[in-house]
Amino acid sequence: MWKKFNFFRSFLLSREQERKIRFAPTKITINDSVLDIRKAEPKDIAALVVLEKSLYQGQTPWTMSIFQTELTKVNALYIVVAHSNILLAVIGIRFNRSEAHVTILMVDSAWQKLGLGTYLMNLAIDIAKNKKCKELSLEVRADNLAAQNLYQKLGFVVTFIWPNYYQDSHQNGLNMVLKLTDD
């Protein structure tokens, strides 16, 4: 009985591993700095929370447990950017059948306006296209004009408004979508 269990357990685990989204680490250069682009790991969670606090005036919309849950989802991919082992940025993408959704995009304020956010968004678009997704969606705060401009330059359009979407500030959220196919 135990042999059968172990056989099926290894089969199920290998199937789960097959479903996990693969991402090969790479490097890019921005301002003469070589940055490591890799899949996020549980060891990154504390640094992700620190990055989040720096961007959200000490607040943490995503707790450590939320990051932990997200990083273990088989239908999600979280990519971090690091320089000398310091986390500078993260993007999260969740996949659901023929659609992809950007769950989070954070870039350290010292590294903003250098093309890192654009790079990560283009990476998400390429990954979604390779996975044959028909669209890529995201939510953005109604008052975050810089992010909205980035998304619009990439072809995203506002499809609807979520009233009071952000619980901490009661800000409206704009749902933005980029069509990846002509369907």
Side-chain angles (χ1 to χ4, degrees):
M1 178 75 163
W2 187 246
K3 253 186 190 175
K4 279 186 186 178
F5 173 76
N6 279 334
F7 170 78
F8 285 112
R9 182 174 158 255
S10 67
F11 174 76
L12 290 173
L13 289 175
S14 66
R15 297 297 258 172
E16 177 120 334
Q17 291 299 323
E18 285 176 21
R19 291 188 333 181
K20 284 193 176 188
I21 301 156
R22 291 185 172 89
F23 180 78
T26 189
K27 294 181 184 292
I28 63 169
T29 302
I30 294 180
N31 282 357
D32 297 325
S33 297
V34 177
L35 307 180
D36 294 308
I37 315 294
R38 63 174 173 75
K39 195 170 181 177
E41 301 171 2
K43 69 177 183 172
D44 298 320
I45 293 173
L48 289 169
V49 171
V50 169
L51 175 61
E52 183 182 40
K53 282 183 179 182
S54 76
L55 295 170
Y56 289 95
Q57 295 75 43
Q59 300 298 309
T60 54
W62 281 33
T63 62
M64 289 184 89
S65 63
I66 290 172
F67 278 114
Q68 179 67 41
T69 300
E70 287 296 316
L71 292 182
T72 59
K73 289 184 177 177
V74 294
N75 67 331
L77 175 63
Y78 285 80
I79 299 169
V80 294
V81 179
H83 180 256
S84 301
N85 293 323
I86 297 171
L87 247 70
L88 306 177
V90 63
I91 190 165
I93 316 141
R94 194 175 305 139
F95 300 90
N96 188 3
R97 298 184 190 229
S98 63
E99 298 173 358
H101 181 78
V102 174
T103 57
I104 194 166
L105 174 62
M106 294 189 300
V107 177
D108 184 281
S109 56
W111 287 83
Q112 291 177 4
K113 301 193 186 335
L114 299 174
L116 196 48
T118 302
Y119 172 83
L120 289 172
M121 285 302 298
N122 280 322
L123 187 59
I125 291 167
D126 290 344
I127 292 168
K129 284 180 178 177
N130 287 336
K131 290 189 69 53
K132 309 282 190 257
C133 293
K134 294 181 180 177
E135 65 181 38
L136 178 63
S137 63
L138 55 85
E139 284 86 32
V140 61
R141 288 180 187 264
D143 66 348
N144 191 344
L145 300 179
Q148 290 174 46
N149 287 335
L150 166 63
Y151 304 143
Q152 288 170 349
K153 285 179 186 172
L154 294 172
F156 284 79
V157 295
V158 176
T159 55
F160 59 88
I161 298 172
W162 293 97
N164 298 313
Y165 183 76
Y166 295 95
Q167 296 172 353
D168 59 336
S169 64
H170 303 289
Q171 279 280 326
N172 291 341
L174 304 180
N175 188 76
M176 299 184 80
V177 174
L178 173 66
K179 296 288 183 189
L180 301 174
T181 65
D182 295 332
D183 297 359

